[in-house]
Amino acid sequence: MVIKLDEVVISGLTKKFDDLTAVDHIEFNVAKGSIYGLLGPNGAGKSTTIRLLCTLLRPDEGTATVSGFDIIESPVQVREITGVLPEEGNHTLYQTLSGYDNLEYFARLYDVPEDEIPGRIEELLTFMDLWERKDDPAGELSTGNRQRLALCRALLHKPKVLLLDEPTAALDPVAAKRVRKLILSFSEKYGQTFFINSHNLSEVQRMCDKIAIIDEGKILLSGDTQELRTRFKTSQDFRIRVVDDLEKAGSIAESLDFVTSLKKEADTIVVTIEDPFTNNSMLMQSLLSQGIKIVEFAEEEATLEDLYLDVIKEGGAK
Amino acid sequence: MALYKSILVAKADLKMAMKVKMVRYGLIGIGALGPITMLVTVALMVYGDPVIGVLILPSISAILAPMLGMIAIIPASMIAANALVGEKEMNTLEPLLSTPLTDRELLIGKLLSSFIPSMALLLGSILVSEIGTFIILRSVGAEFILVPGIPGLFLLLTAGPTLIVAIVSIMILISGRVKRVYEAYQTSGAVVMVFILPMMIPTMTMGAGTVDMNSVWMWNIITFLITLVIAASTWALAVRKFNRDTMISM
Ligand SMILES: Nc1ncnc2c1ncn2[C@@H]1O[C@H](COP(=O)(O)OP(=O)(O)OP(=O)(O)O)[C@@H](O)[C@H]1O
Ligand SMILES: [Mg+2]
């Protein structure tokens, strides 16, 4: 049996700002080596949770431990073993310092041994494709480059736990994908634990082993990503593009009983199907078996709103 | 508590402060202002009438020494404001506070980043004034007189550093509440006004162009004690009151 230890344990964590309870008795554990996603709309309390975990804010009630260290009792030790990408991380670099100097300063603050610093910086910058720009002032880099630089800063001291606040916000889709890939490869390579804030459901779905949904400071739902997907995804849109026979493809799809709606758009059809995890391959098979040549068969990105509605529906049904 | 960590912070702050044009030229400009005023006054006295000039030089120097200190210390508040409120304004405070730095390491680092350049400026101002005065006096064949004189040197070398500590401490205390560097720097900078005391009060004893040196000594010592009390109490309060929570809240 494999015993998975919990790297982050949050119990009853609460933070108030005057009358507002930004984080309200939240409770969950993050398994060692996993990628955990905290999902929620603006003002839900995601950033406040990360600030509590990296000891920037002091909780009003409850506590948390990071790799066994209590955030209230041992804040310095907690900061030593965590790497943080703050909200709008790309704006948190010293603009006038070069990328290299930004990293060198933080490497020293995090007690990376002096003789390992140059190698560590080179490795990370090369990995992030920033080595050529190492001497440019951080303020002159593009948003995507700055974001990756800020990510380097969080990874420099090989922290056990990474707290990333919306790592792909403000990035274009290509840059966002790249950052996601970097996070995944780091998680694989070093087995670090990642805690990621996001308001982007599809991103969290793609990266995280477990997710929790937070709103108004409260955790509405948490669990395995796969499990939640099947549990809550009752329907899903697919965008299908075919060669020539769009009409025929449409009528085939319409004849299937799990297809609940169908829209035609220029050269594609958008099909909504129930129970997508079992039915999407059925749909594709039906089309292929009747000689339709499929050019594209894409899952439409599910939005947070969809899941929300589902969560609320589920809550109401209970 | 590791001092090298504080020095790291101070070094980084200095490096960045020097990249801000306003700070760099402000430092050089303000730094030059003190000795220039001092030396122009000395030159006017000595070249005007060497005999009388040399006679009243110690008194003039006693009154101008606090001015020299005031001018040299003003940049301390500029740098301290940049180092604390500036980091907040530039969004770099959050990552800095997320590092393993302890409160004390951070605060001492921030203290050093203002203390080092301000002390350098103060010592530089004194040195330039003394050397300039020496040259001026030599050129008329007069005997050397220290400008600033011994009482002035006492004031600058005791009250000077304590005042810098007071300025940085006040900056730490207000940094959770102010948003803009400019605001912060004006508020904490106001403390240098205590140097008005040794500048103004002894002039009341002025007669025949000279001041009573006992009064100069007394007010210099009183000023030092005042700065000592302000520095000790504000620093203690800054260390005790400091918390990351208020530093990053809006
Ligand atoms: N320092 C603070 N002082 C007062 N209120 C705050 C402070 N920080 C956060 N809040 C409030 O707490 C609530 C939660 O904020 P938080 O930044 O954690 O939300 P979030 O989930 O990160 O939102 P976003 O997606 O917009 O980043 C918000 O209503 C916010 O206005
Ligand atoms: Mg946020």
Side-chain angles (χ1 to χ4, degrees):
Chain A
M1 197 179 90
V2 182
I3 299 172
K4 272 212 160 176
L5 298 170
D6 286 326
E7 194 74 332
V8 180
V9 179
I10 299 179
S11 42
L13 202 61
T14 302
K15 179 70 190 176
K16 293 177 185 151
F17 296 111
D18 300 321
D19 292 341
L20 177 91
T21 307
V23 170
D24 197 353
H25 298 90
I26 62 170
E27 200 108 18
F28 56 83
N29 297 352
V30 179
K32 194 170 178 168
S34 69
I35 303 182
Y36 198 99
L38 184 62
L39 198 61
N42 292 133
K46 304 182 297 293
S47 298
T48 305
T49 305
I50 281 196
R51 292 194 181 112
L52 286 164
L53 290 177
C54 67
T55 80
L56 284 177
L57 294 174
R58 230 185 127 81
D60 292 298
E61 274 177 63
T63 191
T65 58
V66 180
S67 201
F69 292 110
D70 190 287
I71 57 167
I72 300 170
E73 307 294 324
S74 324
V76 176
Q77 286 87 336
V78 170
R79 291 200 294 272
E80 268 167 10
I81 54 161
T82 49
V84 186
L85 177 72
E87 190 162 38
E88 295 185 27
N90 57 304
H91 290 301
T92 62
L93 297 153
Y94 293 104
Q95 313 260 332
T96 54
L97 293 188
S98 70
Y100 192 96
D101 288 349
N102 264 285
L103 296 185
E104 188 179 54
Y105 180 34
F106 272 73
R108 291 186 175 135
L109 289 175
Y110 276 105
D111 290 307
V112 177
E114 196 64 31
D115 57 336
E116 286 179 26
I117 292 175
R120 196 82 67 86
I121 295 177
E122 183 171 350
E123 186 193 0
L124 274 171
L125 286 179
T126 308
F127 191 78
M128 300 272 184
D129 250 340
L130 287 170
W131 183 243
E132 319 266 86
R133 315 281 318 256
K134 69 178 177 2
D135 296 320
D136 294 2
E140 287 173 16
L141 298 174
S142 69
T143 308
N145 283 345
R146 271 184 280 133
Q147 186 75 2
R148 276 178 289 133
L149 189 57
L151 205 54
C152 287
R153 184 181 61 189
L155 292 162
L156 261 178
H157 57 294
K158 300 192 173 151
K160 288 185 174 171
V161 178
L162 280 130
L163 305 170
L164 312 182
D165 199 345
E166 308 207 22
T168 62
L171 297 185
D172 67 45
V174 178
K177 189 171 175 185
R178 198 156 164 202
V179 165
R180 277 197 296 273
K181 265 177 77 179
L182 293 172
I183 293 170
L184 286 172
S185 61
F186 258 82
S187 147
E188 245 166 61
K189 203 165 156 196
Y190 300 107
Q192 287 157 308
T193 306
F194 283 78
F195 183 85
I196 298 172
N197 273 356
S198 179
H199 53 234
N200 182 338
L201 174 66
S202 66
E203 164 171 308
V204 168
Q205 267 185 346
R206 256 176 268 169
M207 285 186 4
C208 303
D209 308 313
K210 278 194 167 197
I211 61 176
I213 295 178
I214 186 170
D215 193 20
E216 294 179 354
K218 293 193 181 73
I219 301 289
L220 297 181
L221 170 87
S222 66
D224 254 40
T225 312
Q226 278 309 324
E227 200 185 301
L228 290 177
R229 252 171 98 122
T230 42
R231 195 165 135 214
F232 290 101
K233 279 256 78 44
T234 50
S235 67
Q236 170 83 55
D237 288 355
F238 287 88
R239 178 173 292 273
I240 304 165
R241 204 142 58 88
V242 303
V243 182
D244 305 329
D245 280 333
L246 196 62
E247 287 296 323
K248 189 179 168 196
S251 53
I252 297 167
E254 254 172 337
S255 70
L256 299 165
D257 58 359
F258 53 80
V259 172
T260 55
S261 87
L262 187 140
K263 270 182 294 182
K264 290 198 175 76
E265 288 175 10
D267 62 339
T268 59
I269 49 173
V270 178
V271 178
T272 308
I273 60 176
E274 284 178 334
D275 198 3
F277 281 85
T278 42
N279 290 334
N280 65 355
S281 60
M282 295 261 280
L283 173 63
M284 196 187 287
Q285 260 172 20
S286 308
L287 293 170
L288 290 173
S289 67
Q290 297 194 39
I292 304 283
K293 294 191 184 76
I294 299 173
V295 186
E296 186 189 341
F297 190 92
E299 195 177 311
E300 289 274 89
E301 292 217 337
T303 61
L304 176 58
E305 210 179 331
D306 291 339
L307 186 61
Y308 256 129
L309 293 174
D310 290 341
V311 170
I312 291 160
K313 241 193 304 185
E314 169 90 350
K318 259 190 244 167
Chain B
M1 165 79 216
L3 192 63
Y4 80 93
K5 282 283 185 75
S6 305
I7 293 170
L8 254 176
V9 173
K11 263 187 170 162
D13 277 352
L14 277 173
K15 195 166 167 182
M16 278 176 287
M18 291 306 141
K19 287 193 176 175
V20 180
K21 278 206 182 79
M22 193 194 85
V23 175
R24 193 173 56 218
Y25 297 124
L27 267 181
I28 297 170
I30 292 172
L33 205 63
I36 288 173
T37 315
M38 205 80 176
L39 292 175
V40 166
T41 315
V42 172
L44 285 175
M45 296 280 126
V46 175
Y47 294 136
D49 185 334
V51 180
I52 298 178
V54 166
L55 208 67
I56 60 175
L57 212 48
S59 298
I60 296 295
S61 134
I63 291 162
L64 288 184
M67 184 264 326
L68 193 71
M70 242 159 109
I71 293 176
I73 289 165
I74 286 171
S77 60
M78 229 152 96
I79 302 166
N82 256 301
L84 282 155
V85 185
E87 287 228 30
K88 202 162 126 175
E89 214 178 289
M90 303 295 294
N91 299 314
T92 52
L93 195 59
E94 211 172 307
L96 183 67
L97 292 175
S98 306
T99 67
L101 278 175
T102 63
D103 292 356
R104 216 164 271 266
E105 284 163 354
L106 180 77
L107 294 182
I108 291 180
K110 293 296 175 185
L111 175 64
L112 287 177
S113 61
S114 305
F115 194 84
I116 294 167
S118 302
M119 270 318 276
L121 211 55
L122 184 63
L123 296 175
S125 301
I126 294 172
L127 205 66
V128 170
S129 300
E130 302 291 3
I131 294 172
T133 307
F134 175 74
I135 294 169
I136 292 167
L137 288 171
R138 268 303 283 272
S139 70
V140 295
E143 210 177 303
F144 181 53
I145 300 169
L146 280 172
V147 175
I150 302 291
L153 287 174
F154 166 80
L155 178 79
L156 294 175
L157 298 177
T158 56
T162 46
L163 203 56
I164 299 172
V165 174
I167 288 175
V168 180
S169 308
I170 293 169
M171 188 65 70
I172 295 167
L173 283 171
I174 63 173
S175 59
R177 256 152 279 167
V178 291
K179 277 208 187 84
R180 303 267 148 233
V181 167
Y182 184 67
E183 246 178 285
Y185 137 61
Q186 284 190 324
T187 315
S188 72
V191 204
V192 294
M193 290 302 162
V194 290
F195 270 19
I196 297 261
L197 293 176
M199 201 153 83
M200 302 306 266
I201 297 176
T203 58
M204 290 170 194
T205 66
M206 188 123 79
T210 61
V211 292
D212 174 14
M213 278 299 158
N214 288 329
S215 158
V216 168
W217 268 110
M218 186 174 84
W219 282 99
N220 282 356
I221 292 169
I222 291 174
T223 305
F224 168 52
L225 294 176
I226 293 173
T227 59
L228 197 60
V229 170
I230 299 177
S233 54
T234 52
W235 176 253
L237 208 61
V239 172
R240 203 155 50 107
K241 281 271 168 80
F242 178 82
N243 73 59
R244 281 150 215 261
D245 222 296
T246 50
M247 286 296 286
I248 66 152
S249 57
M250 301 151 221

